[in-house]
Amino acid sequence: MWLTLVYSCTGGAALLYALYKWVIPLIVQYHGGLALIWNDVIVEWMLDTLTQSTRPQRLLSAVQKNATRGDPCSVVRAIDDFCRHKEWAMNVGDEKGCILDSVVSEMNPAAVLELGTYCGYSTVRIARLLPPDAKFITLEFNPGFAAIARQVIAWAGLEEKVQLVEGASGDWIPKIKEQFGIKTFDLVFLDHWKDRYLPDTKLMEECGLLRKGSVLLADNVICPGTPDYLEYIRSSPKYESRYFKSHLEYTKVEDGLEKSIFLG
């Protein structure tokens, strides 16, 4: 009887592990809603509970363990490896990251604004490609995320190239000119709360932070999606817009970046 019980428990545990490790991750790879619920809610909650740490803290530990201090590319690789093979995280990711890299390299911007720092992954990707005299401001609403991002950016050796500001984008955008002495931005990367894309874009227009030729690059426009932003940006005569098809970070779900040039 006891032997049967042991076998049953062992078999049940093995089944649960297989579901957690391989079966469910394979299924959600192709479904956006399920991928977000599984990775960003269920798995994160389980690991937070089991480890008594947060996902950003675990990501930082992976950087400190596997990346070379002062080497931004190794920081990017360490985060991508962590997110692909250990624990998914809502970074722009390696696939869309290459699109981001190409836009930054092509523009060689002198003034950049990032909305939504999270753990600093895209911040490092952008900062490593900027000219030495460029101004780069990244805004993060969550103080816990900002604290981790500062350490990730410092590990990459880029703290002198990045000004990380804590607070709500809607509060900071009207104060940027006065606080930081920036007239307009060449590039704005939107990767914060999706319902803030449209109001923050209109706010940047109102505050005169966009000049003719300024580029807005928006992530996650398909998954989770920003339908109101896309409708506005694609129908407005003030923008010339193009969609770059890709995938939701570290999955096979369609997502992409929307590149929109402000025409004035």
Side-chain angles (χ1 to χ4, degrees):
M1 176 182 174
W2 286 107
L3 191 59
T4 302
L5 183 60
V6 169
Y7 282 144
S8 298
C9 291
T10 303
L15 177 61
L16 288 174
Y17 181 78
L19 286 170
Y20 168 78
K21 193 69 177 178
W22 296 296
V23 179
I24 296 176
L26 181 62
I27 293 171
V28 303
Q29 275 281 311
Y30 298 90
H31 190 289
L34 292 178
L36 293 173
I37 292 171
W38 173 251
N39 290 306
D40 217 24
V41 179
I42 298 172
V43 172
E44 184 171 11
W45 174 81
M46 287 193 301
L47 292 177
D48 286 359
T49 302
L50 289 171
T51 66
Q52 292 299 294
S53 64
T54 66
R55 174 171 287 168
Q57 289 170 339
R58 295 188 292 274
L59 184 149
L60 174 62
S61 295
V63 168
Q64 293 171 335
K65 179 180 178 181
N66 300 305
T68 302
R69 188 188 289 270
D71 182 350
C73 291
S74 75
V75 170
V76 170
R77 286 194 300 269
I79 295 175
D80 282 332
D81 182 71
F82 173 80
C83 293
R84 276 207 176 274
H85 304 296
K86 292 187 172 61
E87 186 176 350
W88 183 92
M90 183 68 89
N91 304 308
V92 68
D94 45 7
E95 189 177 344
K96 287 183 294 180
C98 290
I99 301 172
L100 173 61
D101 289 353
S102 67
V103 171
V104 175
S105 297
E106 177 187 340
M107 292 187 64
N108 196 32
V112 180
L113 174 65
E114 178 183 43
L115 300 178
T117 316
Y118 187 42
C119 295
Y121 173 86
S122 53
T123 312
V124 170
R125 288 199 83 117
I126 294 170
R128 81 192 206 284
L129 298 173
L130 296 179
D133 57 346
K135 291 186 177 181
F136 183 13
I137 297 172
T138 179
L139 298 182
E140 176 52 54
F141 177 76
N142 186 308
F145 294 166
I148 296 295
R150 282 195 176 89
Q151 295 178 74
V152 170
I153 293 165
W155 196 271
L158 295 170
E159 64 269 34
E160 297 300 321
K161 296 185 71 172
V162 179
Q163 188 149 14
L164 197 161
V165 179
E166 292 181 38
S169 54
D171 294 336
W172 271 107
I173 288 173
K175 300 187 290 187
I176 282 177
K177 283 192 174 186
E178 179 184 350
Q179 293 284 331
F180 303 105
I182 292 178
K183 293 182 179 179
T184 57
F185 287 103
D186 303 314
L187 172 65
V188 179
F189 182 52
L190 297 91
D191 197 18
H192 56 329
W193 292 106
K194 310 313 164 190
D195 60 359
R196 290 300 311 174
Y197 281 26
L198 181 55
D200 284 347
T201 295
K202 290 182 176 179
L203 190 55
M204 286 186 287
E205 293 173 3
E206 294 168 9
C207 294
L209 289 170
L210 304 179
R211 58 160 179 83
K212 184 176 181 180
S214 292
V215 169
L216 304 182
L217 189 64
D219 188 22
N220 300 127
V221 294
I222 301 301
C223 184
T226 56
D228 57 343
Y229 173 79
L230 285 184
E231 181 181 2
Y232 173 77
I233 213 80
R234 290 175 177 177
S235 62
S236 172
K238 293 184 286 189
Y239 293 94
E240 179 183 291
S241 204
R242 177 187 174 190
Y243 173 62
F244 289 82
K245 184 178 179 179
S246 186
H247 296 97
L248 178 68
E249 38 270 34
Y250 315 111
T251 75
K252 301 298 184 183
V253 177
E254 182 183 343
D255 190 24
L257 297 167
E258 187 82 8
K259 178 186 176 184
S260 307
I261 303 173
F262 186 65
L263 304 178

